[in-house]
Structures are given as C-alpha cells and as structure tokens.
Amino acid sequence: MSLLSLILPTGKNGLGYSSTAEQVTQGISLEGKTFLLTGCSSGLGYETMRVLALRGARVLGAARSIEKARDACATVKGQTVPVSCELSDPASVRQCVKMVSELLTAEGTKLDGIICNAGIMALPELQQAHGFELQFFTNHIGHFILVTGLLDSLADQGRVVMLSSGAHMMAPKGGIQFDNLSGEKSYRSWTAYGQSKFANLLFAKELHHRFQGTQKTAYAVHPGVIQTNLGRHMPSIQRLVFGWAGPVFLKSVQQGAATQTYVATSAEALSQSGQYFANSNLAKCRSDADQRELAQRLWTVSEEIVSKI
C-alpha cells in the first residue's frame, strides 16, 4: 500500500485513492452485459477485464494481436472473447469494428460499454504513423475510429469511457497543436503525450454533447500514476525513479483500474456524463477542455484524418 493511500481522503461516495476495481463494483451484477475493452493483455486493462468478468459481464478483450488477447482472456474466469485491435493500424481497428459489429448483429445484442484503455506514453523520440505523431495517432485517432465505428452497436444506455490522464495538463497552450500534429515542427515526449490525453478528454466531452437526447453517456478518467508497462518507452533513468517511487507514491494496478471500472458500471455515474473523474469521483480538468468549439474542431479534424487513411 502506498503512502498516499493512507493519507488521501475518500470522496462523498465513500470511494477514493485507495479504492480498488473490486471494491467499486461490490454488489453490482453485470450479468447479461457486454463490454469492449482495449488493452486487455496487461496492467489496468487486464484488471478491468478480470473484474468485469468477475461481476458477470462478457468482455470482448482487445489487444495488439489476437495471440496477446487470447492469452489474457484464457487466464480470466468468466466470459471473455479475444479480439485483435492494433490502434496505430487503421486497417486493424476497422477489422475489429467489423468483427464486433457482426458478432453483435448475429446475436441481436448491443455493447453496454466501450472502455478505451490502451495507449502509449512518453516516446523519447518522435515516431509517426501515417504522417502523424504516434501518441496522438494511437491514443486518439485509433480510438476515434473504433468508437465512432461502433456507435450504432452501443446499447440505449451504453457508456463510452476514455482513459485520459492528469498528464492532459501537460498539453501545449491551446490544448491541441493542429498545425503540428505530425510533431515535425517541435517534439517533446511529455507534451505530446499530454496532447494525446487532452484529445481523449475532448473526445469524451464531445461524445457527451452528441449523445444529448439519448440515455448514452461518455466519460474521461484519470487512473492515477501506476507502475505498469505503459512506461516501457520512458528513458531508463525515469523508469528507475518510477520503480523506486512505486511502493511509496504510486497506485497499485488494482487501484488504478478502479475509476474506469466505476464509471463504466455505477448507477451514480449515469447522471454525470461528460465529466472528468479521478479516484472514482468527479475531478477538475484543465479549463480549456470545456471549450465546445475546441472539441468540435478536434472531431472535424479527426474525421478528415480518418477519411484519408
């Protein structure tokens, strides 16, 4: 247990920094519900899949390869279906959309939730996919293709959960550098990561607006700082510091998976669509994340990008 788990208070709902995914779903039955989850093969994604299945849900577990997805699903008790979805490869994401859509249509069922958990973080050098900075492309564009492709498959009270981050605060001035989405004008690893997480936050908020008049909901969450393989691209000295700080300051994977699991399943969250959560409670995000015009512009630009790839 980290030091912060002991000193940070719980929220009004009795949940907080130290709450785990099992604790936030205690007493909830997810029998008959189906969720699609990206990044199921390790870390927060694996724990989220395990707990959703534990509560009775069927989880379509997506990973970068079908082998990784199968390996993860095989070790989880409950109903799981392995799915391949490489977010940096539009063809792979579209194939995932096709497979999921056909499966649900054949069954006459819908998705009760899409949890966009997968991502990459703090690439030390500029990398690109289809001419765009790789973190923006993977974390935002890949999930944009996935979610928009499956909106017709979302249940009447379906939820979309975007894994953003407190690192969205590191996004550049203006939130999104629309004139530098390639990263070629300038590149800083944490700024680029922050921009991708800011994009995840804007996407959730715009989805909320587009869901108006329905019972569908969308959320953005900060899981906390967790020692997972998300940091595999970080320079060795940063990974060393994370390793040292883990027992004192970082959340466990079980705690890190709590917030996304909470908003995907709790009755209370149904009235809080469009909000940003941390520690399984409402949290403050950067003020410009609430600029509708910015979210709309990102949506339009994302559509333009997707139409060309």
Side-chain angles (χ1 to χ4, degrees), residues 85-144:
C85 185
E86 169 51 74
L87 291 167
S88 66
D89 179 2
S92 175
V93 182
R94 288 173 175 134
Q95 181 59 35
C96 177
V97 169
K98 182 175 184 291
M99 180 268 184
V100 171
S101 298
E102 290 178 349
L103 172 66
L104 296 172
T105 299
E107 297 174 340
T109 58
K110 296 277 190 177
L111 288 172
D112 295 284
I114 303 173
I115 304 174
C116 297
N117 164 84
I120 54 176
M121 181 178 76
L123 304 180
E125 303 292 337
L126 173 63
Q127 296 183 48
Q128 295 177 322
H130 298 273
F132 297 93
E133 191 275 319
L134 188 58
Q135 291 170 99
F136 175 81
F137 195 90
T138 302
N139 297 348
H140 171 61
I141 295 297
H143 279 127
F144 184 89

Side-chain angles (χ1 to χ4, degrees), residues 288-300:
D288 51 353
D290 287 315
Q291 293 179 5
R292 178 79 193 278
E293 298 82 3
L294 183 58
Q296 290 175 316
R297 184 181 180 190
L298 176 63
W299 187 288
T300 299

Side-chain angles (χ1 to χ4, degrees), residues 126 128 131-133 177 179-187:
L126 173 63
Q128 295 177 322
F132 297 93
E133 191 275 319
Q177 292 181 322
D179 64 345
N180 187 35
L181 294 181
S182 69
E184 291 173 352
K185 288 187 177 180
S186 64
Y187 178 78

